[in-house]
Amino acid sequence: MPEGDTIWLAAHRLHAALAGRVLTRSDLRVPRFATADLTGRAVLDVTPRGKHLLTRIEGGLTLHSHLRMDGSWQVYANDERWRGGPLHQVRAILGNDERTAVGYRLPVLELIRTSEEPDVVGHLGPDLLGPDWDPAEAVRRLTADPARSLGEALLDQRNLAGIGNVYKSELAFLAAVTPWLPVGELPSEVPERLVATARRLLEENKDRTSRKTTSARRSSQDLYVYGRRGRPCLRCGTAIRKAELGDRVTYWCPGCQKGPTD
């Protein structure tokens, strides 16, 4: 599931493959931009912003993409077989004389002026993996609405940019509270510690293809609660539970986490 660390790694790989090179192939397979031709233009850089990808192209253009639940960008050598999914799922192709980047199942793909980037990412809060990271501002935003549940506040990209459903569940576990607890009821020291933990986890995972929040050696125990419904908690042995929080699922341990459960 793409979250801020996934996007950072995707941007890093795309930048290495495309930046500083002239596009020799361009194909945007969405109706609004199907006639756009970017060939002959150089890619300047690929920058992650929270869960958004900004591919900046010569001439003041930016290709903005968002992976949401199951989108991906894959990079291939020009003589390599594509393996990211069937061809009908391809939404974008950007190629040069060495590499081809292919975007699969991209729910958001738009070509905008680079000057318009604030229109699509200007609402985001401090980026957990960005150069503008501001922990004090992140704490302020996270706790601005005391009645809001912790899970909803963590998922709101206007508070912290980069947290998704996996980290939401894991961070609530590490804070020893349920995701339904109003942020105003968090112990005073928890918001600052929680924000620092979020930053640390994304930093530790940004170079990995598989996400890990525990110190366990077995891959089946890489996460404390997410995706582990019915399995024993790695700390107390209680069966992990799963429920809905808004329109997203959440996981928690009723033995380790205190607070409301709906």
Side-chain angles (χ1 to χ4, degrees), residues 2 8 22 29 38-39 41 58 66 90 93 99 110 116 119 129 134 178 185 188 193 199 232 245 248-249 258:
W8 187 95
V22 173
R29 299 182 180 180
L38 301 174
T39 57
R41 299 175 186 256
E58 185 180 28
H66 194 297
V90 172
I93 303 170
R99 296 284 187 270
E110 57 181 346
E116 296 171 344
D119 294 340
L129 294 177
D134 184 341
T178 68
E185 297 181 22
S188 59
R193 187 173 72 240
R199 166 81 165 178
L245 193 159
R248 308 289 290 276
V249 298
K258 307 305 179 184

Side-chain angles (χ1 to χ4, degrees), residues 2-257:
E3 303 197 18
D5 49 0
T6 310
I7 303 306
W8 187 95
L9 184 57
H12 181 77
R13 290 174 171 172
L14 288 169
H15 184 88
L18 301 177
R21 297 180 174 88
V22 173
L23 292 172
T24 57
R25 185 175 183 183
S26 163
D27 188 359
L28 305 183
R29 299 182 180 180
V30 293
R32 184 179 173 189
F33 302 105
T35 60
D37 184 5
L38 301 174
T39 57
R41 299 175 186 256
V43 174
L44 304 179
D45 66 78
V46 183
T47 297
R49 185 71 175 88
K51 297 183 184 181
H52 299 254
L53 279 166
L54 303 171
T55 302
R56 299 182 179 121
I57 300 166
E58 185 180 28
L61 296 175
T62 294
L63 186 64
H64 167 232
S65 58
H66 194 297
L67 308 186
R68 289 192 180 162
M69 298 294 286
D70 62 349
S72 72
W73 278 97
Q74 304 293 328
V75 176
Y76 304 103
N78 286 345
D79 60 353
E80 188 178 358
R81 182 175 63 87
W82 299 358
R83 302 177 304 278
L87 287 178
H88 73 265
Q89 293 182 347
V90 172
R91 296 293 177 266
I93 303 170
L94 299 176
N96 54 45
D97 56 3
E98 293 184 4
R99 296 284 187 270
T100 300
V102 184
Y104 293 90
R105 302 172 297 278
L106 301 175
V108 176
L109 183 70
E110 57 181 346
L111 190 63
I112 62 174
R113 303 297 304 180
T114 301
S115 60
E116 296 171 344
E117 286 182 8
D119 294 340
V120 295
V121 297
H123 66 288
L124 298 175
D127 187 340
L128 284 154
L129 294 177
D132 65 337
W133 172 242
D134 184 341
E137 176 63 11
V139 170
R140 186 192 71 79
R141 292 189 181 212
L142 185 69
T143 58
D145 182 355
R148 197 174 196 190
S149 73
L150 175 61
E152 291 174 325
L154 286 171
L155 288 176
D156 191 337
Q157 301 301 295
R158 296 170 297 181
N159 295 335
L160 292 81
I163 290 179
N165 214 30
V166 177
Y167 280 120
K168 176 259 293 180
S169 296
E170 295 294 294
L171 287 166
F173 175 84
L174 290 168
V177 297
T178 68
W180 294 272
L181 185 75
V183 292
E185 297 181 22
L186 289 170
S188 59
E189 75 281 0
V190 168
E192 183 176 354
R193 187 173 72 240
L194 189 151
V195 164
T197 300
R199 166 81 165 178
R200 175 180 61 80
L201 289 176
L202 266 73
E203 281 283 354
E204 290 176 353
N205 283 292
K206 68 182 184 181
D207 292 311
R208 298 171 176 166
T209 56
S210 59
R211 192 172 289 122
K212 187 176 181 65
T213 61
T214 75
S215 59
R217 293 184 178 181
R218 289 193 290 177
S219 61
S220 62
Q221 298 179 346
D222 280 349
L223 302 175
Y224 284 107
V225 292
Y226 189 85
R228 303 189 70 247
R229 179 177 63 174
R231 300 172 66 185
C233 173
L234 299 179
R235 286 186 173 172
C236 74
T238 303
I240 300 299
R241 295 185 185 177
K242 174 185 175 182
E244 302 291 327
L245 193 159
D247 60 351
R248 308 289 290 276
V249 298
T250 194
Y251 296 83
W252 86 102
C253 170
C256 292
Q257 295 171 255

